Amino acid sequence: MVDIIEQEIINMSEKLFNILLMDRTTKKNICWATDHYISYGDAYYPQEPITKELVTGRNANIISPRVAKDVEIQTKRTKEKAEVFTPSWVCNEQNNLVDEAWFGRKDVFNKSENQCWITNKEIIHFPKDKSWRKYVDAKRLEISCGEAPYLVSRYDTVSGKEIAIEERIGLLDRKLRIVNENTVTEDDWFFWVKRAYESIYGYEYQGDSLLIARENLLYTFIENMEYKFSHKPNEEQLFIIARIISWNIWQMDGITMNVPYSERPRVNTQISLFDFMNGNEASDKEPIPCKIYDWRSNTSLEFKSIVNGGE
Ligand SMILES: C[S@@+](CC[C@H](N)C(=O)[O-])C[C@H]1O[C@@H](n2cnc3c(N)ncnc32)[C@H](O)[C@@H]1O
């Protein structure tokens, strides 16, 4: 359950897996953005796109969560990209604070105790001036999300221990619990599940972790449908959710807010003879700013425009 096999997703649908590999800004695939796979060949260099062929067949097991990676590789990734994942109990305590601020009361979903938590089994009640629908729509972002443990908690990213649906603590897990508790028909459930996914965002630099985060969100959807209706989602539903995931969990250098290793021709810039003679020919290219999607207004916008006070 912890290490999702890419071939398993392709077996469900090749198109589904290709959606999970998409970079919505560049309209190409996400790239590796890590040098940890270069021993597999030229196609695995950091700037190269991740494709179905590179992670299946004889290289079927190369993408695995941090907890299943060699200690040596874990250490290298910590040194190079500060990759240290947060244990679930810490994610839970912080997510509890987010909910405490929203609900205006403590311990809404669970009570944290001794580096663990006791889940509140009662139906969640909402303050007078706030509805469960508002909670589902409230936007949340995990910066530098790695495998996205603050959003979904199928397993503890540090111990690798699986977590049952009823006990999950991620920000999206909590929204899905609310949808499970407040809807009856499958149509209504799916409508609100879709909105829950539309309100959850995360970005990550390294392509392998980003893919795992996306897979974790997709499997969370499948598991919740099985939990609520005892059957798997159909292809159409999988495509809809995967499309949202491929927008909302995106590849970005959080420092520059650009797509890693991306370039496009610079707009409105003419290379002068002077530039050329000084060896500045490269200045006709610029990195590509990441786009995200606002599902309520049905528009895409540059992430930079929000951070710089645009919204
Ligand atoms: C400390 S880990 C945290 C991961 C996850 N949020 C958690 O709490 O378990 C930091 C993450 O930041 C990512 N990262 C490092 N530099 C980054 C950058 N410039 N932009 C985006 N992500 C970056 C790493 O790849 C790594 O996954």
Coordinates of all heavy atoms in Angstrom, one line a residue, residues 19-52:
I19 N -1.9 11.6 -17.4 CA -2.4 12.8 -16.7 C -1.6 13.1 -15.5 O -1.2 14.2 -15.2 CB -3.9 12.7 -16.4 CG1 -4.8 12.5 -17.6 CG2 -4.4 13.9 -15.6 CD1 -6.3 12.2 -17.4
L20 N -1.3 12.0 -14.7 CA -0.5 12.3 -13.5 C 0.9 12.8 -13.8 O 1.6 13.3 -12.9 CB -0.4 11.0 -12.7 CG -1.6 10.4 -12.0 CD1 -1.3 9.3 -11.1 CD2 -2.3 11.5 -11.1
L21 N 1.4 12.6 -15.0 CA 2.7 13.0 -15.4 C 2.8 14.4 -16.0 O 3.8 15.0 -16.2 CB 3.4 12.1 -16.4 CG 3.8 10.7 -15.9 CD1 4.3 9.8 -17.0 CD2 4.9 10.8 -14.8
M22 N 1.6 15.0 -16.1 CA 1.5 16.3 -16.9 C 1.9 17.5 -16.0 O 1.6 17.6 -14.8 CB 0.1 16.5 -17.4 CG -0.2 15.7 -18.6 SD -1.8 16.2 -19.3 CE -1.3 17.8 -20.0
D23 N 2.6 18.4 -16.7 CA 2.9 19.7 -16.1 C 2.0 20.7 -16.8 O 2.1 20.9 -18.0 CB 4.4 20.1 -16.3 CG 4.7 21.4 -15.7 OD1 4.0 22.4 -15.9 OD2 5.7 21.4 -14.9
R24 N 1.0 21.2 -16.1 CA 0.0 22.1 -16.7 C 0.5 23.4 -17.2 O -0.1 24.0 -18.1 CB -1.2 22.3 -15.7 CG -1.9 21.0 -15.4 CD -2.7 20.5 -16.6 NE -3.3 19.2 -16.3 CZ -4.1 18.6 -17.2 NH1 -4.3 19.1 -18.4 NH2 -4.5 17.4 -17.0
T25 N 1.6 23.9 -16.6 CA 2.2 25.1 -17.1 C 2.8 25.0 -18.4 O 2.6 25.7 -19.4 CB 3.2 25.7 -16.1 OG1 2.6 25.8 -14.8 CG2 3.8 27.0 -16.5
T26 N 3.7 24.0 -18.6 CA 4.5 23.8 -19.8 C 3.7 23.0 -20.8 O 4.1 22.9 -22.0 CB 5.8 23.1 -19.5 OG1 5.5 21.8 -19.0 CG2 6.7 23.9 -18.6
K27 N 2.7 22.3 -20.4 CA 1.9 21.3 -21.2 C 2.8 20.2 -21.7 O 2.5 19.5 -22.7 CB 1.3 22.0 -22.4 CG 0.3 23.1 -22.0 CD -0.5 23.6 -23.2 CE -1.6 24.6 -22.8 NZ -1.1 25.9 -22.4
K28 N 3.9 20.0 -21.0 CA 4.7 18.8 -21.2 C 4.7 17.9 -20.0 O 3.8 18.2 -19.1 CB 6.2 19.2 -21.5 CG 6.3 20.1 -22.7 CD 7.8 20.5 -22.9 CE 7.9 21.4 -24.1 NZ 9.1 22.3 -24.0
N29 N 5.6 17.0 -19.8 CA 5.6 16.2 -18.6 C 6.4 16.8 -17.5 O 7.3 17.6 -17.9 CB 6.2 14.8 -18.9 CG 5.2 13.8 -19.5 OD1 4.1 14.3 -20.0 ND2 5.5 12.6 -19.5
I30 N 6.2 16.5 -16.3 CA 7.1 16.9 -15.2 C 8.5 16.3 -15.5 O 8.6 15.3 -16.2 CB 6.5 16.5 -13.8 CG1 6.4 14.9 -13.7 CG2 5.2 17.2 -13.5 CD1 6.0 14.4 -12.3
C31 N 9.5 17.0 -14.9 CA 10.9 16.5 -15.1 C 11.4 15.8 -13.8 O 10.9 16.0 -12.7 CB 11.8 17.6 -15.7 SG 12.0 18.9 -14.5
W32 N 12.5 15.1 -13.9 CA 13.1 14.5 -12.8 C 13.5 15.5 -11.7 O 13.3 15.3 -10.5 CB 14.3 13.6 -13.2 CG 13.9 12.4 -14.0 CD1 14.0 12.3 -15.4 CD2 13.4 11.2 -13.6 NE1 13.6 11.1 -15.8 CE2 13.2 10.4 -14.7 CE3 13.1 10.7 -12.3 CZ2 12.6 9.1 -14.6 CZ3 12.5 9.4 -12.2 CH2 12.3 8.6 -13.4
A33 N 14.2 16.5 -12.1 CA 14.7 17.6 -11.2 C 15.5 17.0 -10.0 O 15.4 17.6 -8.9 CB 13.5 18.5 -10.8
T34 N 16.1 15.9 -10.2 CA 17.0 15.3 -9.2 C 18.0 14.5 -10.0 O 17.7 14.0 -11.1 CB 16.3 14.4 -8.2 OG1 17.2 13.7 -7.5 CG2 15.3 13.5 -8.9
D35 N 19.3 14.4 -9.5 CA 20.3 13.6 -10.2 C 20.4 12.2 -9.7 O 21.3 11.5 -10.0 CB 21.6 14.3 -10.2 CG 22.2 14.5 -8.8 OD1 21.6 14.0 -7.9 OD2 23.2 15.2 -8.7
H36 N 19.4 11.8 -8.9 CA 19.5 10.5 -8.3 C 19.2 9.3 -9.2 O 19.4 8.1 -8.8 CB 18.6 10.4 -7.0 CG 19.0 11.4 -6.0 ND1 18.2 12.0 -5.2 CD2 20.3 11.8 -5.7 CE1 18.9 12.9 -4.4 NE2 20.1 12.7 -4.7
Y37 N 18.8 9.5 -10.4 CA 18.5 8.4 -11.3 C 19.5 8.4 -12.5 O 19.3 7.6 -13.4 CB 17.1 8.5 -11.8 CG 16.1 8.5 -10.6 CD1 15.7 9.6 -10.0 CD2 15.5 7.3 -10.2 CE1 14.8 9.6 -8.9 CE2 14.6 7.2 -9.1 CZ 14.3 8.4 -8.5 OH 13.4 8.3 -7.5
I38 N 20.5 9.3 -12.5 CA 21.3 9.4 -13.8 C 22.0 8.1 -14.2 O 22.4 8.0 -15.3 CB 22.3 10.6 -13.7 CG1 23.2 10.6 -12.5 CG2 21.5 12.0 -13.7 CD1 24.2 11.7 -12.5
S39 N 22.3 7.3 -13.2 CA 23.0 6.0 -13.5 C 22.1 5.1 -14.4 O 22.6 4.2 -15.0 CB 23.3 5.2 -12.2 OG 22.1 5.0 -11.5
Y40 N 20.8 5.4 -14.6 CA 19.9 4.6 -15.5 C 20.1 5.1 -16.9 O 19.6 4.4 -17.8 CB 18.5 4.8 -15.0 CG 18.2 4.1 -13.7 CD1 18.2 4.7 -12.5 CD2 17.9 2.7 -13.7 CE1 17.9 4.1 -11.3 CE2 17.6 2.0 -12.5 CZ 17.6 2.8 -11.3 OH 17.4 2.1 -10.1
G41 N 20.7 6.2 -17.2 CA 20.9 6.6 -18.6 C 20.6 8.1 -18.8 O 20.1 8.8 -17.9
D42 N 20.8 8.5 -20.0 CA 20.6 10.0 -20.4 C 19.2 10.5 -20.1 O 19.0 11.6 -19.8 CB 21.0 10.2 -21.9 CG 22.4 10.0 -22.1 OD1 23.2 9.8 -21.1 OD2 22.8 10.0 -23.3
A43 N 18.2 9.6 -20.3 CA 16.8 10.0 -20.2 C 16.5 10.3 -18.7 O 15.3 10.8 -18.5 CB 15.9 9.0 -20.8
Y44 N 17.4 10.0 -17.8 CA 17.0 10.2 -16.4 C 17.7 11.4 -15.8 O 17.8 11.6 -14.6 CB 17.4 8.9 -15.6 CG 16.6 7.7 -16.0 CD1 16.9 6.9 -17.1 CD2 15.5 7.4 -15.2 CE1 16.2 5.8 -17.4 CE2 14.8 6.2 -15.5 CZ 15.1 5.5 -16.6 OH 14.3 4.4 -16.9
Y45 N 18.3 12.3 -16.7 CA 19.0 13.5 -16.2 C 17.9 14.5 -15.7 O 16.8 14.4 -16.1 CB 19.9 14.1 -17.3 CG 21.3 13.5 -17.3 CD1 21.4 12.1 -17.6 CD2 22.4 14.2 -16.9 CE1 22.7 11.5 -17.5 CE2 23.6 13.6 -16.9 CZ 23.8 12.3 -17.1 OH 25.0 11.7 -17.1
P46 N 18.3 15.3 -14.7 CA 17.3 16.2 -14.0 C 16.4 16.9 -14.9 O 15.2 17.1 -14.6 CB 18.2 17.1 -13.2 CG 19.5 16.4 -13.1 CD 19.7 15.5 -14.2
Q47 N 16.9 17.4 -16.1 CA 16.1 18.3 -16.9 C 15.1 17.5 -17.8 O 14.2 18.0 -18.5 CB 16.9 19.2 -17.8 CG 17.8 18.5 -18.8 CD 19.1 17.8 -18.3 OE1 19.3 17.8 -17.1 NE2 19.9 17.4 -19.2
E48 N 15.3 16.1 -17.8 CA 14.5 15.3 -18.8 C 13.1 15.0 -18.2 O 12.9 14.8 -17.0 CB 15.3 14.0 -19.0 CG 16.6 14.1 -19.7 CD 16.5 14.8 -21.1 OE1 15.4 14.6 -21.7 OE2 17.4 15.5 -21.5
P49 N 12.1 14.8 -19.1 CA 10.8 14.5 -18.6 C 10.7 13.0 -18.1 O 11.3 12.1 -18.6 CB 9.9 14.6 -19.9 CG 10.9 14.4 -21.0 CD 12.2 14.9 -20.6
I50 N 9.8 12.9 -17.1 CA 9.5 11.5 -16.6 C 8.4 11.0 -17.5 O 7.4 11.6 -17.8 CB 8.9 11.5 -15.2 CG1 9.9 12.2 -14.2 CG2 8.7 10.1 -14.7 CD1 9.5 12.3 -12.7
T51 N 8.7 9.8 -18.1 CA 7.7 9.2 -19.0 C 7.3 7.8 -18.4 O 8.1 7.2 -17.7 CB 8.2 9.1 -20.4 OG1 9.3 8.2 -20.4 CG2 8.6 10.4 -21.0
K52 N 6.2 7.3 -19.0 CA 5.7 6.0 -18.6 C 6.8 4.9 -18.8 O 7.1 4.1 -17.9 CB 4.5 5.7 -19.5 CG 4.0 4.3 -19.5 CD 2.7 4.2 -20.3 CE 2.9 4.2 -21.8 NZ 3.5 3.1 -22.4

